Amino acid sequence: MIEQEIEQFEKYYDMIRTYLLTYSMQLLAALLILIVGLWLAKKLASATHAVMIRHNIDITLTNFVANVVKVLVVTMFIIIALGKVGISVTPFVAAIGAASLGAGLAVQGMLSNYGAGLALIATRPFVVGDTIAVKGVSGQVKSIELGHTILINEQKVEITVPNKHIIGEVLHNSFNYSHIEGQVGIAYDAPVNQAISVIQKILVDDDNVADSPAPQVGIEAFSDSAITISYRYWTPTTSLIENKLNVNQAIYQGFKDANIEIPFPQRVVTIKSNTPKSE
C-alpha cells in the first residue's frame, strides 16, 4: 500500500517536473504578462477616472466606467497568459457565456435596475440634493446608486426607490426646495389688506423662505365665519417641517400684535315666538 502511494507520488512529481522543464519559459512569460496586465489596468483605470472627473462627469458613472476598464484589461491579459502556457480558453469562454445567460435570466430585475441607473447617471434628470416625487413617494435625493436611488423626506425617513421605477415615469423635480401652502381665516370686519401685508412681511423677512419663486399671499375664499387668506412659499426640503411651524407661529403672533381677529366658527340662531298677543 505504501509502495503504491510512493509510486503515485513519484509519477506526479515526474509529471510536474517535466511540465516545469518544458514550459518554464512559458510560465515565466505568463507571469510577466500578468504583472504587466495588472499594472496597465491600474494605469488605464486611473487615467479614465481622471479624464471623466476633469470633464465633470457624475462620480458614480466615473467609478463604474473606470472599474469596467480595469476588469476588461485584466481579463484580456489573463486570456493571453493562459494561451502562453498552452491552456485553451475556448471552453472557458463557452462556459462563461452559458453561465452569463442563466444568470442574466435569473437577475433580470436587478439588471434592469442597473440599466436604469446608468440612464439616470447619463441623462441627469436630477442630482443629489434635488427634491423629487415619483410613484407616489417624494423626498430629497440623498444618493444615486446603480441599482437604486435613496430619498430622505421631511421626517428624516430614508426611502429606497429601485431605479427601474424612476425611468419612464412622470417625475416631479423641485430641486432643493419644497412648496408649502397654508391658510388662515380672519373676521369679516378685520382689515384684509393689513392681514395680507403682515403675512407678506413675515415671508419676505424669513431667511428660510425662497426669494424665487416669490411668496404669494391673497384671499382664497369667503367662508361662513371668516375670510380665508391663503399663502404659498418655497423652503429648503431639509428643514421643511421646522420652517413651516416657524412661519405659522410668526403669522399667529403677527396677527395678535396687529389686533387682527382669527374667528372661531359661529352660527346665528333666530328664535321665533308663536305666543299670541294679549288683548
Side-chain angles (χ1 to χ4, degrees):
M1 188 69 180
I2 296 177
E3 292 180 355
Q4 292 179 352
E5 292 180 356
I6 294 175
E7 290 178 359
Q8 189 174 10
F9 175 77
E10 291 178 348
K11 179 181 178 181
Y12 289 132
Y13 174 76
D14 291 338
M15 184 184 302
I16 293 173
R17 185 181 63 176
T18 302
Y19 181 83
L20 291 176
L21 290 174
T22 305
Y23 295 99
S24 58
M25 295 303 297
Q26 289 86 339
L27 288 172
L28 181 60
L31 181 61
L32 291 175
I33 290 173
L34 283 177
I35 294 174
V36 172
L38 292 174
W39 176 82
L40 184 60
K42 183 177 180 180
K43 290 293 184 181
L44 288 177
S46 299
T48 303
H49 188 277
V51 170
M52 297 184 73
I53 289 294
R54 193 180 309 121
H55 288 81
N56 297 321
I57 306 298
D58 186 87
I59 186 62
T60 305
L61 180 61
T62 298
N63 292 335
F64 177 76
V65 172
N67 289 331
V68 168
V69 170
K70 185 175 182 179
V71 170
L72 290 177
V73 173
V74 170
T75 302
M76 180 182 65
F77 275 86
I78 288 176
I79 293 175
I80 296 173
L82 290 176
K84 195 67 177 178
V85 295
I87 300 177
S88 176
V89 297
T90 303
F92 293 102
V93 173
I96 291 173
S100 299
L101 178 61
L105 294 175
V107 296
Q108 56 183 346
M110 184 182 300
L111 293 177
S112 64
N113 282 327
Y114 288 153
L118 288 175
L120 288 176
I121 295 170
T123 58
R124 298 172 69 87
F126 55 84
V127 296
V128 173
D130 285 355
T131 299
I132 66 171
V134 62
K135 297 288 285 186
V137 298
S138 62
Q140 189 172 43
V141 180
K142 182 179 180 181
S143 66
I144 305 172
E145 309 294 340
L146 283 177
H148 60 269
T149 297
I150 299 178
L151 310 179
I152 184 168
N153 62 15
E154 59 270 18
Q155 284 84 25
K156 308 304 179 185
V157 176
E158 289 190 358
I159 305 171
T160 301
V161 184
N163 286 333
K164 66 179 180 181
H165 293 308
I166 299 178
I167 291 294
E169 297 291 338
V170 177
L171 180 69
H172 302 266
N173 186 357
S174 59
F175 302 97
N176 60 335
Y177 283 90
S178 291
H179 177 255
I180 294 180
E181 180 176 347
Q183 294 180 348
V184 61
I186 64 172
Y188 270 93
D189 57 354
V192 176
N193 292 334
Q194 183 182 0
I196 292 176
S197 298
V198 168
I199 298 176
Q200 285 178 332
K201 185 176 187 307
I202 290 172
L203 296 178
V204 170
D205 292 344
D206 194 327
D207 294 334
N208 291 316
V209 174
D211 296 329
S212 179
Q216 296 178 320
V217 185
I219 296 176
E220 178 72 21
F222 298 97
S223 305
D224 293 336
S225 303
I227 298 176
T228 303
I229 297 179
S230 175
Y231 52 94
R232 301 174 178 87
Y233 60 95
W234 294 84
T235 189
T237 303
T238 52
S239 54
L240 174 65
I241 297 299
E242 178 184 357
N243 296 341
K244 178 180 179 180
L245 298 178
N246 290 337
V247 167
N248 289 343
Q249 175 67 27
I251 290 174
Y252 172 77
Q253 189 62 46
F255 278 12
K256 187 175 181 180
D257 295 341
N259 294 320
I260 299 175
E261 181 185 357
I262 301 177
F264 55 86
Q266 303 177 29
R267 186 180 299 273
V268 177
V269 178
T270 303
I271 301 176
K272 293 184 177 181
S273 176
N274 293 325
T275 305
K277 296 180 179 180
S278 59
E279 295 180 357

